[in-house]
Amino acid sequence: MAPAILYLSQIVGKPVYDPENRPLGLLDELVVRLGGPFPPVTGLAVRLGGIGKSVASRATFLHWADVAAVSADGIRLSTARVNVAPFHRRQGEILLQEDLLDQQVMDTHGRKLVRVNDVQLVAFNPSGSDLRLAGIDVGLRGLLRRLEAERLCRWLTSHTSLDIPDRVVPWEEIGPLAVGGPEAEGEAGTGPGAGLGAGPGTGPGAGPRAKPGGGMHLAHEKLAVLHPADVADMVAQMSAPERVAVIGSMDAEKAAEALGELDPEMSADVLEDLPTESAAEILAELPPDEAADALAELPSEKADELLDTLDAKDAAAVRHLMSFDEDEAGGMMTTEYVALPGDLTAQQTIDRLRRLAPPAEEIHYVYVVDSRSTLIGILPLRDLIVSPPDTKLSAIVAGIAGGAGGPGEVVHITAQAPKDEVIRTIDKYNLLALPVTDDSGRLIGVITVDDALAAALPPEPGRWLRGVVR
């Protein structure tokens, strides 16, 4: 027999009966203990006599072990003894109505934020007493069900061409939850959401602070497997406190990757709202150009405070980038690239690259420089790999067009060049990265094609509204 499916909206407000089928009150809330893909219901809150509207200190809490049967008609208990002690949320527990309904949660499979219209429950035994959280309904059908208009929904789908499908996201695809509060106690379970509400913590990787008196925030272990751009898209739709909770719950490296995909203004807001220690750890993981863009949006005192947490070399690089206008080449460049002297051989260069193991975005080209850091050539990796091992880099680049004109001509741009010239140059020579030099020809940075593309594209529609949701 397939497990029976119920929805929270179908049973909340329904009668709770004693073993003799005498009504005790109305079901007000279900309590779920997080852990695994199907977290079990562990308790219920009852309004005795149907009085009251929410789970409060006077609400009656019953352990789920006292439940004999569950259906859309109500709940029948196995005991007539009722403990009228006040309800206290324990560590690792969530209240389905209070904590989930109408909340935005992360669908980590669909890579988007979704609103919870209803909660799907599955009964794993015939009586329904083994009731578990199975998923969340994010569709119109779930909303109509809550409005007690499901009969209308069925009529519409059967008598018209209108299709109103179920849109249930499995619980295991929802971002894990951090729960708990001042009164939380006991150990958390395992699996999605477990062990994430032990306390507010500090720094990247610490769980976000729970709501006073208990409650729920999204935690984000599953975000580690998503592309930073997908994480950023979801984070950008959140309110400022939610963004801070999300970014603050991630480790510093992953948080920096996501932050780097946000608008500089939004990145700055997050850094400003995070505790200084957390913001500093994330800032240290940001590439210099992204750090400079974000810090430029902060008040000068806050920017200086965060810059002082970086080591001297990194702080100097970021300050140097901040000195350029954002519409100049200097304001678009990064100082992370691979530059090597021309007297190295091809084999020595390959060995050096193995030791350096630079990130993929830094190794589009090897920039060949002389003893004064003057740019003398751009070496694509293909040319490096196919060159004889003993050939010096200076000799290799001497025979390469450098992207323009002919041998000896090296495509580059000065730091004061306008943004439009940067974009035209990259487009004209089909470059993956464009070197930037000072007035004397010394290499000081590079502009990657993705940064040039971002500068060329118009602002994303609605992006300017993101900062309003605070």
Side-chain angles (χ1 to χ4, degrees):
M1 176 184 289
I5 295 176
L6 292 170
Y7 288 89
L8 185 64
S9 62
Q10 294 174 331
I11 58 176
V12 166
K14 294 298 176 64
V16 177
Y17 300 96
D18 70 8
E20 304 300 325
N21 285 327
R22 293 172 299 198
L24 293 175
L26 301 179
L27 177 65
D28 192 74
E29 180 66 277
L30 291 181
V31 183
V32 167
R33 178 78 163 183
L34 294 179
F38 295 99
V41 176
T42 57
L44 65 158
V46 181
R47 299 197 306 266
L48 294 179
I51 299 173
K53 294 184 178 181
S54 62
V55 178
S57 59
R58 292 182 297 173
T60 299
F61 171 78
L62 302 177
H63 290 284
W64 197 253
D66 295 333
V67 172
V70 179
S71 73
D73 296 323
I75 293 178
R76 182 167 54 84
L77 303 179
S78 60
T79 177
R81 299 180 64 182
V82 176
N83 182 359
V84 294
F87 171 74
H88 296 287
R89 186 201 306 260
R90 295 175 299 178
Q91 182 68 39
E93 291 180 338
I94 62 170
L95 307 178
L96 295 188
Q97 278 222 109
E98 180 178 328
D99 296 333
L100 274 184
L101 284 185
D102 298 321
Q103 300 300 313
Q104 286 195 122
V105 296
M106 287 187 176
D107 174 1
T108 59
H109 179 74
R111 294 170 168 79
K112 58 185 177 181
L113 284 184
V114 291
R115 183 172 295 278
V116 181
N117 291 331
D118 207 347
V119 179
Q120 187 187 68
L121 302 161
V122 173
F124 278 82
N125 63 350
S127 69
S129 59
D130 184 8
L131 195 63
R132 294 174 177 268
L133 172 59
I136 61 169
D137 193 325
V138 300
L140 175 61
R141 198 179 195 109
L143 187 59
L144 291 174
R145 189 185 305 113
R146 281 180 61 192
L147 297 174
E148 299 182 355
E150 192 172 20
R151 183 176 298 177
L152 171 63
C153 178
R154 288 195 296 268
W155 186 91
L156 288 172
T157 55
S158 61
H159 290 78
T160 71
S161 60
L162 183 64
D163 183 26
I164 309 178
D166 286 318
R167 291 186 57 204
V168 176
V169 181
W171 181 253
E172 60 185 340
E173 293 177 3
I174 298 300
L177 301 175
V179 299
E183 298 172 339
E185 58 185 46
E187 296 180 359
T190 58
L196 297 177
T202 58
R209 188 181 300 273
K211 296 178 183 177
M216 175 188 80
H217 282 297
L218 290 169
H220 310 285
E221 291 177 339
K222 287 187 178 179
L223 298 185
V225 301
L226 299 182
H227 191 283
D230 291 325
V231 177
D233 282 345
M234 290 189 285
V235 168
Q237 299 173 52
M238 299 177 178
S239 66
E242 290 171 331
R243 285 197 291 267
V244 172
V246 171
I247 297 297
S249 72
M250 303 169 70
D251 68 72
E253 182 179 359
K254 294 296 182 182
E257 291 176 354
L259 212 62
E261 297 289 341
L262 295 173
D263 292 338
E265 296 88 347
M266 191 172 291
S267 297
D269 289 340
V270 174
L271 289 174
E272 186 173 14
D273 292 341
L274 280 169
T276 299
E277 181 183 353
S278 300
E281 291 182 28
I282 295 172
L283 186 67
E285 297 290 339
L286 281 172
D289 57 325
E290 293 175 3
D293 290 343
L295 291 178
E297 302 296 332
L298 287 175
S300 57
E301 290 184 3
K302 183 64 176 181
D304 289 338
E305 178 187 4
L306 291 176
L307 279 169
D308 288 342
T309 66
L310 300 176
D311 65 52
K313 182 179 178 181
D314 290 342
V318 174
R319 290 183 190 277
H320 179 60
L321 291 173
M322 292 174 67
S323 68
F324 294 102
D325 188 278
E326 64 178 353
D327 290 325
E328 295 179 341
M332 301 169 65
M333 71 182 182
T334 179
T335 55
E336 292 189 334
Y337 52 87
V338 178
L340 296 173
D343 58 359
L344 286 182
T345 66
Q347 186 59 54
Q348 289 172 331
T349 300
I350 292 173
D351 293 340
R352 181 81 63 89
L353 291 176
R354 285 198 184 103
R355 291 196 300 272
L356 291 173
E361 62 269 19
E362 295 179 23
I363 199 169
H364 298 303
Y365 306 110
V366 172
Y367 301 94
V368 184
V369 297
D370 63 16
S371 58
R372 297 178 55 254
S373 295
T374 301
L375 180 66
I376 61 175
I378 305 172
L379 179 58
L381 287 186
R382 177 197 173 278
D383 294 86
L384 172 63
I385 293 169
V386 302
S387 296
D390 294 331
T391 308
K392 290 189 175 182
L393 298 187
S394 57
I396 300 173
V397 297
I400 297 176
E409 295 188 24
V410 183
V411 177
H412 67 283
I413 205 162
T414 61
Q416 287 73 35
K419 176 175 65 177
D420 290 346
E421 185 178 346
V422 171
I423 296 168
R424 284 197 303 269
T425 303
I426 288 179
D427 177 59
K428 179 178 180 180
Y429 297 112
N430 296 317
L431 299 175
L432 295 175
L434 174 63
V436 181
T437 65
D438 61 16
D439 292 336
S440 61
R442 291 184 300 175
L443 181 65
I444 60 173
V446 301
I447 301 171
T448 58
V449 65
D450 58 319
D451 286 338
L453 180 62
L457 291 174
E460 180 182 332
R463 176 172 287 185
W464 63 276
L465 284 172
R466 292 175 177 171
V468 176
V469 186
R470 291 183 57 83

